[in-house]
């Protein structure tokens, strides 16, 4: 029998928050914090390359992975559906096998989460989820890093999620149970988060509460966060959603119900006057620019661990 041309090597992926153990996640946050403060100056990606597949738009994810890979000594390569054969129907398994011969990791942003699972199954290199319709784990780890930066230890804190039970909400649910903080979600009926994420978090003993009233969710919370009412791919539902979410805007009166020291987070892009008022997102409690910056630091830590051999 002919020997295989290419030896598969074991690799780890980051498709959801739970792909790192809680201890590894705290180590990842500590590494990212060293990157944030400038204490970390090593280049574990020297000679390595990251492919970045974007089937949806991006400002932060693209730039932070690209710049982050460069800062760690590696390169990052942007692949858009307009230019790559995946966009013309080349199968995911074939794309996975081919890219595995060229690069040392793949970051992918796409619609169906199953496509990312399939990519990971057929690739012999680490796969990083840069957002799917189901989850956005890199963003939520950046958000947790921002919590730590402004509030200290995240364990025992309370986070209020206001609005859509979308990809961000699902990753927040995982993070809460995984890292030991309380999550209160206020979502209008019909827009609940994924049932299996809720069930998994509760099975782990996580304090995750699904509510309808935003005031109840925000009461004395340490963090108030929200996201757009219509995510990428839901643009045609915008008008219907604007009605369903009308009472779910994070505005000054709602923010005032949180703890005095509370911070406001938003993954961005934001729609002022829809999910958040301008005075909140541009106000003194908002730390959204630190949050956006932290995408760079946490993703560098993720790449260093998955692609650069840095132990957690
Ligand atoms: N928050 C976030 O993922 O931003 P982009 O869509 O700009 O990447
Ligand atoms: N929920 C939003 C997040 C954007 C970063 C979306 O999926 O479009």
């Amino acid at each position: 029998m002919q020997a295989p041309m290419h030896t598969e090597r074991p690799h780890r992926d980051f498709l959801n928050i739970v792909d790192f153990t809680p201890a590894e996640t705290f180590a990842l946050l500590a590494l990212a914090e060293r990157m944030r403060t400038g204490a970390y100056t090593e280049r574990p990606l020297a000679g390595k390359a990251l492919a970045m597949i974007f089937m949806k738009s991006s400002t932060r994810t693209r730039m932070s992975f690209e710049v982050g890979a460069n800062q760690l000594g590696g390169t990052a390569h942007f692949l858009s559906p307009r230019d790559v054969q995946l966009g013309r129907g080349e199968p995911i398994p074939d794309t996975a096998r081919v890219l595995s011969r060229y690069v040392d990791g793949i970051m992918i942003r796409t619609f169906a989460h199953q496509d990312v699972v399939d990519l990971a199954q057929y690739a012999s290199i680490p796969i990083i989820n840069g957002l799917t319709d189901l989850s956005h784990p890199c963003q939520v780890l950046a958000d947790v890093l921002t919590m730590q930066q402004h509030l200290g230890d995240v364990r025992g804190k309370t986070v209020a999620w206001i609005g859509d039970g979308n990809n961000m909400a699902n990753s927040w649910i995982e993070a809460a149970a995984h890292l030991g903080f309380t999550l209160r979600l206020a979502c209008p009926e019909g827009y609940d988060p994924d049932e299996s994420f809720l069930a998994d978090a509760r099975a782990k003993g996580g304090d995750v509460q699904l509510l309808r009233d935003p005031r109840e969710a925000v009461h004395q919370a340490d963090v108030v966060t929200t996201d757009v009412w219509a995510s990428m791919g839901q643009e045609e539902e915008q008008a219907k959603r604007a009605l369903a979410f009308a009472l779910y805007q994070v505005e000054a009166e709602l923010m005032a119900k949180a703890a005095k020291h509370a911070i406001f987070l938003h993954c961005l892009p934001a729609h002022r006057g829809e999910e958040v008022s301008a005075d909140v997102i541009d106000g003194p409690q908002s730390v959204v620019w630190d949050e956006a910056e932290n995408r760079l630091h946490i993703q560098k830590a993720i790449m260093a661990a998955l692609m650069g051999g840095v132990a957690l």
Side-chain angles (χ1 to χ4, degrees):
M1 204 165 76
Q2 206 189 347
M5 295 279 291
H6 181 67
T7 316
E8 302 284 308
R9 61 181 173 81
H11 66 278
R12 290 187 69 177
D13 305 304
F14 182 55
L15 307 192
N16 275 315
I17 298 276
V18 294
D19 289 346
F20 288 110
T21 65
E24 286 173 334
T25 308
F26 282 115
L28 203 62
L29 289 161
L31 178 60
E33 179 62 15
R34 289 180 61 215
M35 290 167 167
R36 190 182 74 76
T37 59
Y40 185 94
T41 53
E42 287 159 55
R43 293 162 72 82
L45 293 197
K48 303 209 171 190
L50 175 78
M52 306 187 298
I53 302 173
F54 280 96
M55 308 303 278
K56 291 176 174 173
S57 306
S58 170
T59 297
R60 281 144 288 268
T61 306
R62 177 181 175 178
M63 286 310 298
S64 52
F65 269 107
E66 199 164 318
V67 170
N70 276 277
Q71 289 180 359
L72 293 178
T75 57
H77 306 268
F78 175 71
L79 303 172
S80 89
R82 268 204 309 270
D83 309 314
V84 294
Q85 300 289 11
L86 191 61
R88 294 179 55 244
E90 183 170 12
I92 286 173
D94 293 3
T95 304
R97 292 174 180 124
V98 170
L99 290 179
S100 295
R101 303 292 179 101
Y102 300 142
V103 298
D104 305 280
I106 303 172
M107 184 250 100
I108 178 166
R109 164 169 288 194
T110 192
F111 294 86
H113 190 80
Q114 188 58 43
D115 287 353
V116 181
V117 174
D118 292 345
L119 192 71
Q121 187 187 333
Y122 290 96
S124 57
I125 53 174
I127 305 300
I128 300 171
N129 174 5
L131 179 147
T132 65
D133 290 345
L134 188 70
S135 60
H136 196 5
C138 291
Q139 178 70 55
V140 169
L141 282 194
D143 294 6
V144 173
L145 181 63
T146 314
M147 274 173 78
Q148 238 182 230
Q149 179 185 345
H150 287 277
L151 303 172
D153 193 349
V154 300
R155 285 167 285 201
K157 297 284 188 304
T158 297
V159 176
W161 171 269
I162 309 302
D164 194 13
N166 61 14
N167 43 12
M168 282 293 298
N170 291 334
S171 289
W172 270 112
I173 290 167
E174 277 196 313
H178 208 52
L179 303 178
F181 57 85
T182 294
L183 179 66
R184 297 194 208 119
L185 305 120
C187 308
E189 229 173 311
Y191 297 93
D192 288 351
D194 188 90
E195 192 48 54
S196 70
F197 278 65
L198 282 172
D200 286 352
R202 286 174 181 153
K204 277 187 188 157
D207 185 6
V208 176
Q209 303 161 31
L210 180 57
L211 309 166
R212 298 283 173 233
D213 183 352
R215 288 163 303 187
E216 200 184 330
V218 165
H219 178 72
Q220 288 303 313
D222 302 292
V223 177
V224 179
T225 185
T226 186
D227 189 10
V228 289
W229 290 341
S231 285
M232 289 182 276
Q234 299 172 332
E235 289 79 6
E236 75 293 346
E237 293 178 31
Q238 177 69 41
K240 181 181 127 199
R241 285 170 166 268
L243 284 178
F245 289 100
L247 299 176
Y248 288 78
Q249 185 187 83
V250 179
E251 32 65 50
E253 208 177 306
L254 184 64
M255 194 69 204
K257 299 195 184 307
K260 282 218 159 26
H261 62 257
I263 56 171
F264 173 77
L265 296 174
H266 190 309
C267 65
L268 306 175
H271 294 150
R272 288 170 177 76
E274 291 182 28
E275 76 275 5
V276 61
S277 63
D279 57 353
V280 169
I281 194 167
D282 299 318
Q285 288 169 287
S286 172
V287 292
V288 298
W289 315 122
D290 288 342
E291 179 185 4
E293 178 189 323
N294 284 336
R295 293 292 303 279
L296 175 66
H297 308 307
I298 198 71
Q299 289 159 197
K300 281 171 70 179
I302 293 167
M303 287 188 284
L306 295 183
M307 297 165 59
V310 173
L312 293 175

